[in-house]
Amino acid sequence: MKTYGFILAGGGGTRFWPLSRQDLPKQLLNLTGKDLMVNETIDRLEGNIEKDDIFVVTNISQAELMIQATDGRIRKEHVLAEPAARNTAACIGYAATEILQKYGDGIMCILPSDHYIKDIAVYKRVIADAIRVAEETDALVTIGIQPTYPATGYGYIRYEKEKKADCYYNVRHFVEKPNLRTAKEYLLSGDYLWNSGMFVWKASVIMRCFEELLPDISICLKKIGAAMNTEKEKEVINEIYPVIPKISIDYGIMERAENVLVLEGSFGWSDVGSWDALEALYDKDEHGNITYGEQVHIDTHDCIIYAKNKLVTTIGLDNVIVVETEDAVLVCDKNRAQEVKKVVEALQDCNKRQYL
Amino acid sequence: MKTYGFILAGGGGTRFWPLSRQDLPKQLLNLTGKDLMVNETIDRLEGNIEKDDIFVVTNISQAELMIQATDGRIRKEHVLAEPAARNTAACIGYAATEILQKYGDGIMCILPSDHYIKDIAVYKRVIADAIRVAEETDALVTIGIQPTYPATGYGYIRYEKEKKADCYYNVRHFVEKPNLRTAKEYLLSGDYLWNSGMFVWKASVIMRCFEELLPDISICLKKIGAAMNTEKEKEVINEIYPVIPKISIDYGIMERAENVLVLEGSFGWSDVGSWDALEALYDKDEHGNITYGEQVHIDTHDCIIYAKNKLVTTIGLDNVIVVETEDAVLVCDKNRAQEVKKVVEALQDCNKRQYL
């Protein structure tokens, strides 16, 4: 059975402001110093999925930019443009419909476009296993990340660790982002993995899940499917898609489905959710700093300093994030990187839309 | 007797980097948000000295920029260009020679170009008194600032506080910048004023001091004086000036002369020696911040934030200085503003001359 890659790239991205903007979300940033996150995501599928079989699902406002940014990596018609952001269930349902209507059943690898993976070789082996398991079992296969610290920013998957079959485990249940105390318990128990948002399944299998668990969405998808390959395709998508109920695939299907399997991933993973997450991507210098661009430091420790255009200089700083871009500078206590979105909100409130 | 203003504007200025540069020293900055410091210095002489009688002494490399910056305030030929920086004794001796050779004896008001004065009306009264005292007494008159805190960054003047004659006091002696303990003693004793670097005297009087106390410099000045008003003037200045011994007027004359008088100044004064000195110039906002330019703050207190071109945003900062200019950003612990020159040194060391 053929395997297709679906890279979900619809995110807006305010948490890397001022580098990320409304029209330049995180997946289009080069945070590793190597390439744009979406291109790194595409490129590490090499060996598992043909380039011609990779799709990117993005918002219509970003579709043109995505075609440019991916620079010939994927076929233009494989950039699927959502007419409206309707959360991940809609997006994945649309992708499954596209496959079933235009290519026939196949394995779908659904991957976030803006995550970091350290060990590509291990990652590729896990993806290959997941594809095989999805084909052999007709299950919903997901990849859970072996936790390395009591993260409160990730959802968790409770799995039957003791009962390993082949390379996979049964999933007991998905759980929401915990508080610190609960996260510590999860870590200690060894019974939990981080929910990475990577899913592998047959298009036909996930469509049956929509029918059973999200019938309202399923009806919408059927209407869209019926119009596909006709001259009305675009018109129907533009009409139906914006009214598909907004729900995440986790909440709508994963947490409620029966046949969910998980593979362990230990390849060094981060969802790169805020500036302080760069600490997972870069080696620190001898003072504990992570630096990008031209800079001079005096007595500066454990900082993250990103200089895009200008020289950035620091004196006597500890645990501070400094980000400099064409039109804005951010200086932020490293422990408060989560609050960058408050700046974006403040900019909205005071109508400084040119910075959004 | 006629009164002339001499504004000393030869300083290089690294302490306000990245706003100040080799070719844009502090006196050419607008730190108050009102006007360039040198222009504020010129303008507050109004009422005491005619505009046509004001001179600016500056380095030859800054002379053209100074003419532009002062924007018609002073006559072009009144911008005296030192061919080399030889400290304040040379500079003041040159100014006195200019007066005596070209205009005849007169009162010289010698004023730094880059200091801040809060209460202009009080300042004008003190300057008027100083001019009168210099004319009546043939003394070296200086203005001492009533200390408001135990400053370690200023020189002090010990004066005979109990014996006030007219509006002035005898000076006992000048003292160098003290350590904190000594500065506290000075403040407590009430016997000390800050040395403001403002001097008022007759050209003929200071020339006699040069002859007595700095005979080597006096010989140089006489050679320059002899060439003045001849076609050889420029040539002789260019030849002699660069070899005048380097010494400050304080060390060379003020600390050793007999006839030194001081007037008290209580007009709100700062030499604006580093970024943290802006706290004397601006009212703080309700969070203790001093801000200039476009910015957004979240939970930010007691900071100094100067945004020249870009939006500057901060989250969770206390006691930090942030300065943004066309090509550089500085982020500095407020208690370490004195160390900005270390950044400039580091830039020199790593040959980033474009930022100097």
Side-chain angles (χ1 to χ4, degrees):
Chain A
M1 192 173 260
K2 200 159 185 181
T3 303
Y4 299 91
F6 283 92
I7 294 170
L8 307 192
T14 59
R15 295 190 293 180
F16 277 82
W17 190 93
L19 202 59
S20 66
R21 299 295 171 99
Q22 229 161 36
D23 298 327
L24 193 70
K26 194 178 80 182
Q27 56 268 26
L28 294 179
L29 299 181
N30 180 345
L31 288 177
T32 59
K34 291 171 197 149
D35 203 342
L36 308 185
M37 299 206 84
V38 68
N39 286 343
E40 293 204 54
T41 305
I42 294 168
D43 291 347
R44 69 179 161 244
L45 288 176
E46 194 202 345
N48 280 315
I49 305 178
E50 295 296 320
K51 281 244 158 87
D52 268 0
D53 299 323
I54 299 175
F55 295 72
V56 174
V57 191
T58 188
N59 195 282
I60 195 154
S61 67
Q62 292 167 22
E64 200 51 49
L65 187 58
M66 183 58 72
I67 291 167
Q68 286 169 35
T70 50
D71 195 25
R73 277 177 178 79
I74 50 174
R75 289 160 61 182
K76 197 176 162 183
E77 66 271 27
H78 283 194
V79 174
L80 306 184
E82 299 172 281
R86 305 303 293 175
N87 212 332
T88 48
C91 168
I92 289 166
Y94 172 35
T97 306
E98 175 90 6
I99 288 297
L100 289 168
Q101 293 299 318
K102 298 189 180 173
Y103 306 89
D105 199 11
I107 308 286
M108 302 170 71
C109 273
I110 294 157
L111 304 163
S113 58
D114 57 355
H115 290 178
Y116 170 73
I117 281 152
K118 189 167 188 167
D119 191 334
I120 309 290
V122 174
Y123 169 82
K124 285 183 175 185
R125 283 200 296 277
V126 175
I127 292 286
D129 284 342
I131 291 167
R132 183 176 53 77
V133 171
E135 179 150 21
E136 292 174 4
T137 64
D138 275 2
L140 302 181
V141 178
T142 185
I143 294 166
I145 309 295
Q146 195 64 59
T148 53
Y149 65 98
T152 57
Y154 298 141
Y156 285 72
I157 299 169
R158 185 163 186 195
Y159 70 127
E160 296 184 344
K161 198 185 174 183
E162 60 289 353
K163 295 192 224 155
K164 187 175 185 174
D166 189 349
C167 57
Y168 56 83
Y169 305 85
N170 284 314
V171 168
R172 282 205 179 170
H173 55 261
F174 283 68
V175 287
E176 302 283 319
K177 295 174 185 177
N179 61 29
L180 186 61
R181 195 177 58 78
T182 308
K184 283 179 177 168
E185 287 170 14
Y186 289 174
L187 185 66
L188 211 61
S189 74
D191 293 334
Y192 291 83
L193 300 169
W194 288 335
N195 179 2
S196 71
M198 301 183 213
F199 307 111
V200 185
W201 47 53
K202 286 178 193 156
S204 56
V205 168
I206 194 70
M207 284 308 273
R208 277 199 300 276
C209 292
F210 275 101
E211 283 167 25
E212 281 170 36
L213 301 171
L214 297 170
D216 290 351
I217 295 184
S218 180
I219 290 166
C220 295
L221 296 175
K222 286 203 162 74
K223 284 182 192 162
I224 289 171
M228 278 183 176
N229 301 314
T230 76
E231 59 189 11
K232 289 205 147 190
E233 175 173 339
K234 204 163 186 177
E235 185 190 321
V236 171
I237 289 171
N238 285 338
E239 188 193 321
I240 303 287
Y241 203 92
V243 296
I244 298 182
K246 275 186 174 181
I247 190 169
S248 73
I249 195 79
D250 302 74
Y251 195 70
I253 293 182
M254 299 310 289
E255 295 183 12
R256 300 157 64 205
E258 299 283 310
N259 53 335
V260 182
L261 303 177
V262 66
L263 276 68
E264 267 181 343
S266 294
F267 34 68
W269 172 88
S270 166
D271 79 342
V272 202
S274 49
W275 279 108
D276 55 328
L278 288 196
E279 297 195 332
L281 279 63
Y282 286 88
D283 290 330
K284 295 181 178 184
D285 70 15
E286 71 268 35
H287 304 294
N289 298 313
I290 290 169
T291 63
Y292 177 93
E294 193 176 11
Q295 37 202 284
V296 170
H297 309 131
I298 311 268
D299 195 19
T300 293
H301 306 277
D302 304 315
C303 289
I304 297 172
I305 303 174
Y306 189 101
K308 191 169 184 191
N309 303 285
K310 296 184 179 183
L311 172 71
V312 172
T313 61
T314 61
I315 303 172
L317 294 192
D318 291 297
N319 286 296
V320 174
I321 297 167
V322 183
V323 182
E324 177 275 324
T325 69
E326 282 87 355
D327 60 352
V329 174
L330 168 73
V331 186
C332 174
D333 180 342
K334 195 164 75 180
N335 298 314
R336 300 178 67 171
Q338 302 295 333
E339 297 179 40
V340 168
K341 55 177 185 264
K342 287 189 188 172
V343 168
V344 179
E345 286 161 13
L347 291 169
Q348 273 164 337
D349 290 348
C350 63
N351 215 20
K352 294 184 190 289
R353 302 200 65 78
Q354 68 271 33
Y355 297 110
L356 296 179
Chain B
M1 191 175 262
K2 200 159 184 180
T3 303
Y4 298 91
F6 283 92
I7 294 169
L8 307 191
T14 58
R15 295 191 292 180
F16 276 83
W17 189 91
L19 202 58
S20 67
R21 299 295 171 100
Q22 229 159 36
D23 297 327
L24 193 70
K26 193 178 79 183
Q27 56 269 25
L28 294 179
L29 300 181
N30 180 345
L31 288 177
T32 58
K34 291 172 196 148
D35 204 342
L36 307 185
M37 298 206 83
V38 68
N39 287 342
E40 294 203 53
T41 306
I42 294 168
D43 291 345
R44 67 180 163 242
L45 288 176
E46 194 201 345
N48 281 313
I49 305 177
E50 295 294 320
K51 282 243 156 89
D52 268 0
D53 299 323
I54 298 175
F55 295 72
V56 174
V57 192
T58 188
N59 195 281
I60 195 154
S61 67
Q62 291 167 23
E64 200 51 50
L65 188 56
M66 184 58 72
I67 291 167
Q68 286 170 35
T70 50
D71 195 24
R73 278 177 178 77
I74 51 174
R75 289 161 59 183
K76 197 176 164 185
E77 65 271 26
H78 281 194
V79 174
L80 305 183
E82 301 172 281
R86 305 303 293 174
N87 212 331
T88 49
C91 169
I92 289 166
Y94 173 35
T97 306
E98 175 91 5
I99 288 297
L100 289 168
Q101 293 300 319
K102 297 190 180 173
Y103 306 90
D105 199 11
I107 308 288
M108 302 170 70
C109 273
I110 294 157
L111 303 164
S113 59
D114 57 355
H115 290 179
Y116 170 74
I117 281 152
K118 188 165 186 170
D119 190 335
I120 310 290
V122 174
Y123 170 81
K124 285 184 174 182
R125 283 200 297 275
V126 175
I127 292 287
D129 284 342
I131 291 168
R132 182 175 54 77
V133 171
E135 179 151 21
E136 290 174 4
T137 63
D138 274 2
L140 303 180
V141 177
T142 186
I143 295 166
I145 309 295
Q146 196 64 60
T148 51
Y149 67 97
T152 57
Y154 297 141
Y156 285 72
I157 299 170
R158 184 164 186 193
Y159 71 127
E160 296 185 343
K161 199 184 172 183
E162 60 288 353
K163 294 193 224 155
K164 186 175 186 175
D166 190 348
C167 58
Y168 56 83
Y169 305 86
N170 284 313
V171 167
R172 282 204 177 171
H173 53 262
F174 283 69
V175 288
E176 302 283 319
K177 294 174 188 177
N179 61 30
L180 186 61
R181 196 177 56 79
T182 309
K184 283 180 178 169
E185 286 170 15
Y186 289 173
L187 185 66
L188 212 61
S189 74
D191 293 335
Y192 291 84
L193 300 169
W194 288 335
N195 179 1
S196 72
M198 301 184 214
F199 307 111
V200 185
W201 46 52
K202 287 177 192 157
S204 56
V205 168
I206 195 70
M207 284 308 273
R208 278 201 300 277
C209 293
F210 274 102
E211 283 168 25
E212 279 172 36
L213 301 172
L214 297 170
D216 291 352
I217 295 183
S218 180
I219 290 166
C220 294
L221 295 176
K222 285 203 163 74
K223 285 181 190 162
I224 289 171
M228 276 183 178
N229 302 313
T230 77
E231 60 189 10
K232 290 204 146 189
E233 175 173 340
K234 204 161 185 178
E235 185 190 320
V236 171
I237 290 172
N238 285 339
E239 188 192 322
I240 303 289
Y241 202 94
V243 297
I244 298 181
K246 275 185 173 180
I247 189 168
S248 73
I249 195 79
D250 302 74
Y251 195 68
I253 293 183
M254 300 310 288
E255 296 184 10
R256 300 155 65 205
E258 299 283 310
N259 52 337
V260 182
L261 303 178
V262 66
L263 275 69
E264 268 180 342
S266 294
F267 35 68
W269 171 88
S270 166
D271 79 341
V272 201
S274 49
W275 278 109
D276 54 329
L278 288 197
E279 298 196 331
L281 280 62
Y282 286 87
D283 291 329
K284 296 180 178 183
D285 70 14
E286 72 268 33
H287 303 296
N289 298 313
I290 291 169
T291 63
Y292 177 93
E294 193 176 12
Q295 36 202 283
V296 169
H297 309 130
I298 310 269
D299 195 19
T300 293
H301 305 277
D302 303 316
C303 289
I304 297 173
I305 303 173
Y306 188 101
K308 192 169 183 191
N309 303 285
K310 295 182 180 185
L311 172 71
V312 172
T313 60
T314 62
I315 302 171
L317 294 192
D318 291 297
N319 285 295
V320 174
I321 297 167
V322 183
V323 182
E324 176 275 326
T325 69
E326 280 87 355
D327 60 352
V329 174
L330 168 73
V331 185
C332 175
D333 180 343
K334 195 164 76 181
N335 298 313
R336 301 179 68 172
Q338 302 295 331
E339 296 180 40
V340 168
K341 54 178 185 263
K342 288 189 186 172
V343 169
V344 178
E345 286 161 14
L347 291 171
Q348 272 163 339
D349 291 348
C350 63
N351 214 21
K352 293 184 190 288
R353 302 199 65 79
Q354 68 272 32
Y355 297 111
L356 297 178

